[in-house]
Amino acid sequence: MAYNLAPLQNLIEQFERMQGIGHKTAQRMAYYVLGLSDEEATQFAAAITDAHTKIKQCKVCCDLADDELCPICKADNRDKSVICVVEDPRDVAAIERTHEYRGLYHVLHGAISPMDNVGPDQIRIKELIARLGDGTVEEVIMATNPTVEGEATAMYISRLLKPMGITVSRLAYGVPVGANLEYADEITLGRALEGRSLI
């Protein structure tokens, strides 16, 4: 006889639907939820519902926001002449942690991927182009992932922006600190050479 509780199995399957979560991790998460008190479980469910209903996309940059504009678009001290284009809201958080970038962002919510039937119209490229019409933006930094899809997206957008006279730059990708050159692949080494700077 199989040991199978339908509500537990359903909970595990819901966790498995999350990107990067395998069966064992989903099981641990489900058992964690079962171990919560009634009050804690209610708070947990309310936090999910609250986030799902209150968080939306910023009407300017398409990043996550709990208002019409995200905190970065609202800020007066950001450099409005530079936009950094990323694939995912998590990329904004990663760049912000560096405390090096003071410009604005644009979140595409994906990358062009013909294999997955994702074309330019399925990501937020039109919204980016609409932002560039008033002449305020002088540079667009392409910070898409160094994947085939990310590179294709960066090239597609750079071709669209060329006639507008806006400088388009690409993040330099290179060898991580503490890594040995012998373990770096040729694409990473090539990027590191291209993105080299004077010392």
Side-chain angles (χ1 to χ4, degrees):
M1 182 171 76
Y3 177 72
N4 188 10
L5 301 172
L8 175 59
Q9 191 57 41
N10 182 38
L11 185 58
I12 292 168
E13 287 170 6
Q14 292 303 314
F15 282 125
E16 278 183 308
R17 293 173 64 184
M18 297 167 67
Q19 185 179 2
I21 301 295
H23 185 71
K24 292 269 189 204
T25 302
Q27 272 185 321
R28 281 195 297 276
M29 292 167 76
Y31 279 105
Y32 167 79
V33 169
L34 289 178
L36 296 174
S37 69
D38 287 349
E39 184 182 344
E40 290 169 329
T42 301
Q43 290 173 349
F44 187 79
I48 292 171
T49 304
D50 198 39
H52 190 72
T53 55
K54 291 183 179 174
I55 295 176
K56 51 192 171 245
Q57 288 182 19
C58 172
K59 69 176 189 175
V60 174
C61 72
C62 303
D63 193 10
L64 300 180
D66 60 356
D67 202 354
E68 290 280 304
L69 298 177
C70 71
I72 293 172
C73 286
K74 281 183 190 174
D76 293 328
N77 62 343
R78 303 296 291 216
D79 181 356
K80 296 182 179 6
S81 69
V82 184
I83 293 178
C84 182
V85 177
V86 297
E87 292 180 26
D88 189 88
R90 290 172 289 194
D91 301 332
V92 172
I95 294 171
E96 282 297 292
R97 281 194 301 270
T98 69
H99 302 289
E100 295 289 327
Y101 178 70
R102 299 303 307 155
L104 300 176
Y105 292 93
H106 189 82
V107 182
L108 296 172
H109 291 276
I112 296 170
S113 177
M115 296 290 284
D116 299 318
N117 294 318
V118 178
D121 293 336
Q122 278 79 48
I123 58 177
R124 308 298 187 279
I125 294 176
K126 284 186 290 223
E127 291 83 348
L128 172 63
I129 302 301
R131 293 178 68 183
L132 304 175
D134 65 2
T136 306
V137 178
E138 297 170 9
E139 181 182 6
V140 171
I141 302 169
M142 295 307 306
T144 54
N145 292 322
T147 60
V148 172
E149 295 82 7
E151 292 294 326
T153 304
M155 291 303 297
Y156 180 85
I157 292 172
S158 67
R159 281 196 213 110
L160 286 178
L161 301 186
K162 198 168 211 158
M164 300 175 83
I166 295 170
T167 301
V168 180
S169 60
R170 185 82 168 106
L171 281 188
Y173 295 101
V175 182
V177 173
N180 292 324
L181 288 180
E182 65 182 297
Y183 299 117
D185 63 274
E186 58 274 10
I187 295 171
T188 301
L189 283 174
R191 282 271 185 207
L193 287 168
E194 286 173 24
R196 68 191 184 278
S197 58
L198 298 174
I199 56 171

